[in-house]
Amino acid sequence: MNLLRDMCYPTPSELALAARALADEHPGPVRLRRAGTSRGGRPLWLLCVEPSGRPRGAGVLVVAGAHANEPVGGATALALARRVLHEPALRAGRGWYFLLCADPDGAALHRTPRPRSLLDYHRNFFRPPGPEQPEWAPSLLPPDRLPPETLALTALIDELRPALQVSLHGTDLGGSWVQLTRDVPGLAEPFAKSAAELRIPVETGASDAAGWPSPGPGIFVMPQAGADPNGAFHPEDTRLSTWYHAHRYAGTTAIVEVPMWASDLVDDPAPHPDPRGALRILAGRLAADAALVARVRERSAGAWEPAADPGAGPGPYAGAGSGAGSGAGSDAGSDAEAAALLRAVDWTLALIPRITVEWTGAGAPAEATAAAISSIDAFARRLSLRAAAMLLRVLRAQGHPAAPGLDRLVTGWCEEFAARFRARRIPVATQVEHQSRTVLATYERLVAEGLDGARGPDRLGEPDGTVSA
């Protein structure tokens, strides 16, 4: 895509147009279908690259855009679809299916298609609270409260019964890592080789996967039944997420993370001299930063309050982000947008006290690498920064007198974050290339190990193995 050469992340509407053009150009093997509808009435598009020859094994489902603030996945999904289409061996007997954006409403509120700096990225930042995230909602809500995006995703998994589900994610600053619901033997080598060639650090102590088994640098295997369900900082149970839904059909899920800005600090294997002391310092800073944001939030209470308790279920998105996709508009210009932003602010702030207790409690690690502490440092910085950035959008739209002071705080935090981690930008095309290589390496290792669920057509929805429209 020319967008990638221009360092631009494609929006959901641009992805849909490109996918439609690909389907029109290759009407035999490629189809574009609507897999569902978001809360705000936006389509959930599934790009299908059908198997060449008779189906002989379960296919691959690639999910992009599950987190609104991680826009690289859609570009990777489209690049993978083109590669699979033009390399028949990759789809010999197996279909590949690409959900181009799992949360188009969230993507409409995160309006930074071409961020030039961390500050630019956070100017129009949005990340929904956990119950409104398609993949995490099942771990936080009862079945009758699940959002339509989650229901559409689980319905796809039920229909396709993929041997491999891949969820494409990104991080603002750090390195690359992979989370697996089952170990994929041999993945660490090609993953590390790709990262080294593309000058992307491997995040060897990712805070998202703290305490999880690691069969190789940057590769983490999620907890299984009977184990502690969480990493150190998850309010959710990963085993109840849509990632584990594929296990119903003997499938495996891989979550591939890639950074927008890289930092070599997250790839430092040296032992940290005092992990518990460092965590106490980080907990104190996080609590103090969160308190600053919370005080501004309290002073601004009363206008455009959230429509519901963030833990009660998804709130209204209808009408939010009109014109989004073009990147137009920078503030919370409607009641629905402001309410969504404030729900996310409140959810983020509510997480912090539990996290600081864990960091200062008896369970804090006595041993850790410098990489692991750096990853936790970055995690702490982004929590308070995200809450402040989303609150700032609402205050700017209100013309609130607290907006200029909060703007200075967000600016300073972004500059400190980038300076502390010596951030260097990773081109969008490089992010896409690394994610693509990692997805293909995961698939190839599954096939090589015989873990691809090759049970023939009976795994799919129709007698001949095709997928019904």
Side-chain angles (χ1 to χ4, degrees), residues 321-381:
S322 59
S326 64
S330 60
D331 294 315
S334 74
D335 289 359
E337 292 184 13
L341 286 160
L342 291 177
R343 287 196 302 274
V345 170
D346 293 343
W347 167 265
T348 304
L349 292 176
L351 292 179
I352 290 173
R354 199 203 88 177
I355 291 170
T356 57
V357 167
E358 289 180 351
W359 289 358
T360 56
E367 297 181 356
T369 64
I373 298 301
S374 291
S375 182
I376 294 170
D377 183 0
F379 174 81
R381 291 173 187 271

Side-chain angles (χ1 to χ4, degrees), residues 131-144:
E132 300 181 29
Q133 296 175 15
E135 293 178 327
W136 281 120
S139 71
L140 296 164
L141 297 174
D144 62 347

Side-chain angles (χ1 to χ4, degrees), residues 8 24 39 50-51 70 103 109 114 120 148 163 168 178 229-230 254 264 299 310 340 363 366 414 440:
C8 188
D24 290 345
R39 284 159 284 163
E50 302 291 359
E70 300 169 7
D103 183 13
L109 281 174
R114 195 187 307 229
D120 194 31
L168 301 172
V178 179
N230 299 326
D264 294 327
R299 292 204 305 271
C414 286
L440 294 175

Side-chain angles (χ1 to χ4, degrees), residues 121-213:
Y121 170 71
H122 284 92
R123 280 292 183 205
N124 301 301
F125 181 91
F126 177 68
R127 182 185 176 101
E132 300 181 29
Q133 296 175 15
E135 293 178 327
W136 281 120
S139 71
L140 296 164
L141 297 174
D144 62 347
R145 294 285 296 169
L146 293 177
E149 298 88 344
T150 297
L151 297 176
L153 177 53
T154 55
L156 277 177
I157 297 170
D158 290 338
E159 175 191 345
L160 300 172
R161 304 184 182 187
L164 175 63
Q165 177 186 207
V166 180
S167 186
L168 301 172
H169 285 255
T171 186
D172 45 18
L173 194 160
S176 179
W177 72 97
V178 179
Q179 300 171 82
L180 301 167
T181 58
R182 291 190 178 95
D183 188 20
V184 178
L187 178 59
E189 182 180 352
F191 169 73
K193 182 174 184 288
S194 172
E197 289 176 351
L198 298 171
R199 295 191 65 239
I200 297 174
V202 171
E203 191 143 346
T204 55
S207 59
D208 280 4
W212 293 357

